[in-house]
Amino acid sequence: MLASWSVECGADDPVLVVPWSDAGGLQFVDLRENPYDLDQIAEAELHPALMQALRALNATRSPVFTAKCDAWTMDAEELESFRIELALSEAESPAGFTSYIDLIWRERPLFVSFHQQEQRLIRLARLLDPLDHPFAAVEAVLDLTGPQEGFAVTFYLKAAGTDAAHAYEHWTQALEAVVPVLRSKELSLP
């Protein structure tokens, strides 16, 4: 699995504010406090693997909680860029699926420390890289935009396949492999 991380710090980059709401009526759902509110997240209802990931990432012993998510079929431009990134041919990857989950570390000293989060993301990439998912990639993006109390990480997971069903299957399998790493004690070692 290709695993990488980066930092967003441009003035036009999105900023995560929790709790949040948008003009369309969507809003932050605190799955730590109300784990049964998963039914309020349409993406979780549509994608069982995402529902399981949200459940695991918001569990009591998880080092993170989630703030936002989405999942979609890649458009032609996204898919072409992804093929280049993974060195895939068009014949072996005519379809793609992607998602993101915004994560916030629960541990306050880690939440407020860019340096500690940077170290954790380096470790995350190192732990995910050897996973055997050649049609999938993970990118963790640390948000440094604007004045804030701490830092959020947007966790992107992309997968490709020989058709839409295979791309979705690769995405599901990769997500199921990545979530335990995000929750692992190995990730929090110094």
Side-chain angles (χ1 to χ4, degrees):
M1 174 182 290
L2 179 64
S4 63
W5 69 279
S6 63
V7 175
E8 282 186 345
C9 56
D12 294 333
D13 290 332
V15 176
L16 179 65
V17 177
V18 176
W20 61 270
S21 63
D22 71 12
L26 297 175
Q27 63 183 7
F28 172 68
V29 178
D30 190 346
L31 296 174
R32 297 166 301 165
E33 293 295 319
N34 303 301
Y36 296 106
D37 285 350
L38 274 166
D39 63 349
Q40 294 181 26
I41 302 172
E43 298 82 6
E45 290 289 318
L46 293 171
H47 309 290
L50 183 57
M51 180 182 287
Q52 292 303 321
L54 293 174
R55 189 173 282 133
L57 293 170
N58 287 287
T60 304
R61 294 187 179 169
S62 175
V64 297
F65 69 92
T66 63
K68 246 180 169 180
C69 67
D70 201 358
W72 63 94
T73 300
M74 284 187 207
D75 65 26
E77 188 177 320
E78 282 179 295
L79 187 55
E80 181 58 31
S81 176
F82 186 59
R83 279 191 207 111
I84 292 168
E85 192 177 358
L86 288 186
L88 298 171
S89 72
E90 189 171 343
E92 65 188 336
S93 59
F97 195 80
T98 190
S99 64
Y100 80 84
I101 301 174
D102 284 333
L103 302 173
I104 298 173
W105 299 102
R106 290 183 189 212
E107 187 182 331
R108 181 102 178 124
L110 178 58
F111 169 67
V112 299
S113 171
F114 168 77
H115 175 71
Q116 286 184 44
Q117 288 202 39
E118 176 186 41
Q119 294 306 308
R120 190 144 302 178
L121 293 180
I122 291 168
R123 195 170 310 118
L124 177 64
R126 202 170 333 121
L127 292 170
L128 294 177
D129 221 22
L131 294 180
D132 187 24
H133 294 280
F135 290 90
V138 167
E139 182 182 9
V141 180
L142 185 57
D143 175 19
L144 287 182
T145 311
Q148 52 203 4
E149 289 181 38
F151 305 99
V153 175
T154 301
F155 176 78
Y156 294 94
L157 178 62
K158 301 175 183 180
T162 55
D163 57 30
H166 282 107
Y168 190 81
E169 183 179 332
H170 289 152
W171 172 80
T172 296
Q173 292 169 350
L175 186 58
E176 289 170 351
V178 167
V179 169
V181 176
L182 285 168
R183 291 187 45 147
S184 75
K185 292 190 185 304
E186 197 174 353
L187 183 59
S188 61
L189 294 174

